[in-house]
Every structure is written in C-alpha cells, then in structure tokens.
C-alpha cells in the first residue's frame, strides 16, 4: 500500500500489474516478464513519479507502454525476417538439389528458438565478434557462446533427423555411385 511515509511502494501494486499483464499477453510466463520489465523501467524512472499522483496509474502506464514497445519490436523483427526470407528467394535460382538443401537449412534455422537464432545470426551471418554480438543482445559472452553451441548442436541434430518433429534427412537419389547406398 502506498503511504505518505512511502509513496513509492511498488510491491503493493504487483498483483494488479500481474493481472493487467496477463490480460494483455494471455500467457503467465510472458506476463511475468512484462511485469519485470515494467518494474525495471519504473525504478529507472523513479524520479519522474509525482508523489501526489497515483502510483498504480503510473505503473500501469509504464506496463502498457512496455507492452506496446515489445509488440512494435516483435513486429519489426518479423518484418526483417520476412524481408530476409524474400531476399533469399530472389538472390539466385539454384539447381533443384541445391534449392531443396537451402530450403531445409533455412527451415531448420528458422525452427531454432529465438534466442539461439539471434545469437547464431549475429555471429555466423553478420560476422560480429562474440563480444559485439553479446553487446547487441545485452547478454554475457558466455551466455552467447552457450546459445550458439546449442543452436549448432540442434542444427546438427536436425540434419541427422534426431530432433522430434523434424523431417528426416533427405538423400539425393542419382548422381555418382558413391552417393547411392
């Protein structure tokens, strides 16, 4: 409860923030993340809170704006991915086997969890150093290296059909006698 002695009692507002966050994102885990992000913003901007105003209203506004920012960011990411996919299709029509293989690799890459895909993209495609990629993602280098390692392992597993739900490795039929088994 906000009191005259402590006008910035955010702990007493967490239940209401959680309820509002759940109504916005409809997922308990995402709601917790949203509340966390909003509280971090609130603490960073504590000096902008007027003690004469309603703390709950101020926190709800921050939560709402945080949610809107995340939606915009997600939409921008989706647009970039869609544009990259379109460019990949326009670059050069390849032979059938090559096209199938590229489609498999692209599908496997896009099937990676978002955090692994981001890390691998920055290092393998954008050719950023581990430190630069970690700075972009705002994570420790060790976490980045772990994500890249898991992404590469998952891609190798997908290659061999070891991942549940992944398509088995396609074998090219024809070609030299070495290719046929």
């Amino acid at each position: 409860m906000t009191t005259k002695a402590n006008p910035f009692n955010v702990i007493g507002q967490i239940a209401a923030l959680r309820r509002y966050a759940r109504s916005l994102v409809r997922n308990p885990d995402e709601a917790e993340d949203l509340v966390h992000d909003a509280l971090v913003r609130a603490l960073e901007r504590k000096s902008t809170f007027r003690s004469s105003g309603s703390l709950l209203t101020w926190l709800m506004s921050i939560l709402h704006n945080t949610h809107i920012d995340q939606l915009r960011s997600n939409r921008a990411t989706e647009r970039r991915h869609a544009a990259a996919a379109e460019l990949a299709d326009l670059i050069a029509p390849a032979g059938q086997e090559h096209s199938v293989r590229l489609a498999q690799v692209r599908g496997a890459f896009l099937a990676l969890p978002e955090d692994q895909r981001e890390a691998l993209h920055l290092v393998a495609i954008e050719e950023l150093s581990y430190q630069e990629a970690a700075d972009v993602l705002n994570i420790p280098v060790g976490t980045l290296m772990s994500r890249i390692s898991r992404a590469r392992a998952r891609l190798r597993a997908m290659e061999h059909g070891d991942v549940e739900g992944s398509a088995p490795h396609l074998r090219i039929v024809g070609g030299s006698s070495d290719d046929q088994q």
Side-chain angles (χ1 to χ4, degrees):
M1 176 131 222
T2 303
T3 64
K4 297 241 186 236
N6 184 9
F8 200 77
N9 181 9
V10 296
I11 301 300
Q13 309 303 323
I14 290 178
L17 293 172
R18 283 181 175 149
R19 285 190 301 272
Y20 184 49
R22 280 190 208 113
S23 74
L24 290 174
V25 298
R26 293 180 232 123
N27 176 302
D29 294 330
E30 289 178 25
E32 282 299 317
D33 290 344
L34 180 58
V35 168
H36 175 268
D37 293 346
L39 288 174
V40 168
R41 282 188 184 185
L43 290 173
E44 289 171 347
R45 296 178 175 98
K46 182 178 179 179
S47 64
T48 66
F49 174 67
R50 293 184 314 264
S51 59
S52 62
S54 166
L55 178 63
L56 181 60
T57 303
W58 186 72
L59 290 171
M60 291 286 195
S61 295
I62 291 173
L63 181 92
H64 179 78
N65 290 337
T66 302
H67 176 65
I68 297 299
D69 290 347
Q70 289 175 353
L71 288 176
R72 287 179 183 147
S73 175
N74 290 343
R75 279 191 224 123
T77 300
E78 289 171 10
R79 282 193 303 271
R80 282 192 304 275
H81 289 196
E86 288 177 23
L87 286 176
D89 291 340
L90 296 175
I91 291 176
Q96 184 177 1
E97 295 90 11
H98 190 67
S99 292
V100 169
R101 182 70 185 127
L102 283 177
Q104 288 174 332
V105 170
R106 187 170 123 214
F109 179 77
L110 294 175
L112 289 171
E114 184 176 349
D115 61 339
Q116 294 175 16
R117 190 174 60 247
E118 290 171 344
L120 189 59
H121 177 92
L122 291 174
V123 171
I125 297 172
E126 301 302 328
E127 298 180 346
L128 296 180
S129 71
Y130 282 1
Q131 185 61 58
E132 291 169 329
D135 291 345
V136 166
L137 297 174
N138 197 26
I139 58 175
V141 174
T143 301
L144 175 88
M145 292 170 64
S146 176
R147 288 178 184 178
I148 291 170
S149 175
R150 286 194 313 269
R152 288 177 176 160
R154 188 175 178 109
L155 289 175
R156 280 191 296 275
M158 287 178 183
E159 171 71 18
H160 294 81
D162 295 340
V163 175
E164 284 185 35
S166 71
H169 177 67
L170 296 179
R171 207 176 91 206
I172 297 175
V173 179
S176 69
S177 60
D178 295 337
D179 291 342
Q180 295 178 352
Q181 296 176 343

